[in-house]
Amino acid sequence: MLGKKTDGLILDVDGTLWDSTGIVARAWTQAVRDSGFPDFEVTADGLKRLFGKTMEVIAEEMLPWLAKEKRESIMERCCEYEHRALEEDECRICYPGVTDTIRQLSKRLPVFIVSNCQSGYIELFLEKTGLGEYVTDIECYGNTKCGKGENIRMVAERNHLQNPVYVGDTKGDLSAAKEAGVSFIYVSYGFGDVENAETEISCFSDLAGLAEGGENR
């Protein structure tokens, strides 16, 4: 629950703010095929089971028959193709209420984003959605090579947060929040299934209601 003591809202991206899996699946499929595997295909549903993990783990699970160095090389190409595809697409893929709610919440609380994505992905999200001015700080696995729990802790520490809340859609997000020592809100419309979450919402805009009565920053 968001309350008067909450001093920061830290958000996951994939499965929480938008669903880019359709665009990314097409880009990654082409990248792997161009790397010498013409029969390879990854689907949007397949990516929903992978997103939220670090890029290293995704590579291991998606390309298990390859050596580590080859996997890393192909994943670099996947990220290049993905970035270009997202830049070229209109990216009308945010979940209902996301952009308006973030704008609204940012008037009451500083908003942050932490993801296990590659470098540049959050920046591209902010560019495509026009939300850059409403987000105070960001961090990701691609920048630090640290897991989500450590990155949440980094963002909290460098922004002097005492009682932030992390919002995400998977068990991994819940585990990361616990590792970082912060509260967690589960969005049930996302990619994962989290049982017994202390706070659960079925629409992103529900966060605005939870923030009623919170302190202004």
Side-chain angles (χ1 to χ4, degrees), residues 139-190:
E139 198 53 270
C140 70
Y141 172 81
N143 290 344
T144 66
K145 297 301 184 287
C146 294
K148 188 174 286 185
E150 180 61 24
N151 284 332
I152 292 171
R153 185 160 45 237
M154 284 184 198
V155 166
E157 289 178 353
R158 71 187 181 216
N159 290 280
H160 311 292
L161 305 178
Q162 298 300 313
N163 293 288
V165 173
Y166 190 65
V167 182
D169 67 306
T170 68
K171 292 178 182 177
D173 291 336
L174 172 60
S175 297
K178 288 182 177 179
E179 179 186 341
V182 307
S183 299
F184 178 71
I185 294 176
Y186 166 53
V187 297
S188 61
Y189 55 79

Side-chain angles (χ1 to χ4, degrees), residues 110-141:
V111 177
F112 309 87
I113 294 178
V114 172
S115 170
N116 272 337
C117 61
Q118 70 273 22
S119 300
Y121 186 78
I122 299 174
E123 291 88 341
L124 185 56
F125 167 81
L126 295 174
E127 177 186 341
K128 300 298 289 190
T129 59
L131 290 171
E133 65 181 288
Y134 304 98
V135 175
T136 300
D137 194 8
I138 64 173
E139 198 53 270
C140 70
Y141 172 81

